[in-house]
Amino acid sequence: MVGRWPTVSRLFRAADNVPMTATTGGTNLHKQLTGDPGVVASWVTEALQRCAAGDPASALTLGRDLHWASEGDAERERQAHELLVAAYRALGRHNLAGITDAHHRHRDLPQVDVLRT
């Protein structure tokens, strides 16, 4: 295991154990999620392996966080999509996986009104 990735839900910044506030909240998380692509890729691999082994929580959490941190970066968007679809399918939430696919295919739209399967 490479190491635990940061999550939005943590109450303290991992690097210095400082409680997150309005002025610090999430900046360390954002730096870690948008930092070294190799480290992020290792987190994605680990989360997908856990998901395949029956534990989709890591894929769901990391996928959500990468989605919000993607800032239009194609690789982070691809990783978030892969993680979220895998987690939703593992949880039996096939409709959510389909919605995630539709949103990924149509990133330029503010919303996807109709999902045809």
Side-chain angles (χ1 to χ4, degrees):
M1 185 175 353
V2 173
R4 194 90 176 136
W5 53 84
T7 63
V8 170
S9 60
R10 296 207 179 176
L11 297 177
F12 294 91
R13 295 190 316 186
D16 50 13
N17 212 26
V18 174
M20 289 204 282
T21 67
T23 56
T24 63
T27 57
N28 190 46
L29 170 65
H30 185 266
K31 285 179 187 175
Q32 291 177 327
L33 291 173
T34 59
D36 184 349
V39 172
V40 175
S42 69
W43 294 338
V44 170
T45 299
E46 181 184 342
L48 289 170
Q49 289 171 345
R50 288 180 181 205
C51 189
D55 180 10
S58 298
L60 188 61
T61 302
L62 184 58
R64 177 205 59 200
D65 292 346
L66 279 171
H67 169 74
W68 290 112
S70 68
E71 298 177 339
D73 180 84
E75 181 61 10
R76 283 192 297 271
E77 287 180 1
R78 185 200 63 75
Q79 290 168 326
H81 171 253
E82 182 180 15
L83 288 162
L84 289 171
V85 168
Y88 290 144
R89 287 186 178 144
L91 292 165
R93 305 299 298 267
H94 301 285
N95 288 341
L96 287 175
I99 291 168
T100 301
D101 277 333
H103 278 281
H104 185 69
R105 284 191 314 269
H106 304 287
R107 294 294 292 161
D108 56 328
L109 298 176
Q111 63 187 36
V112 179
D113 292 327
V114 177
L115 174 63
R116 291 192 175 103
T117 57

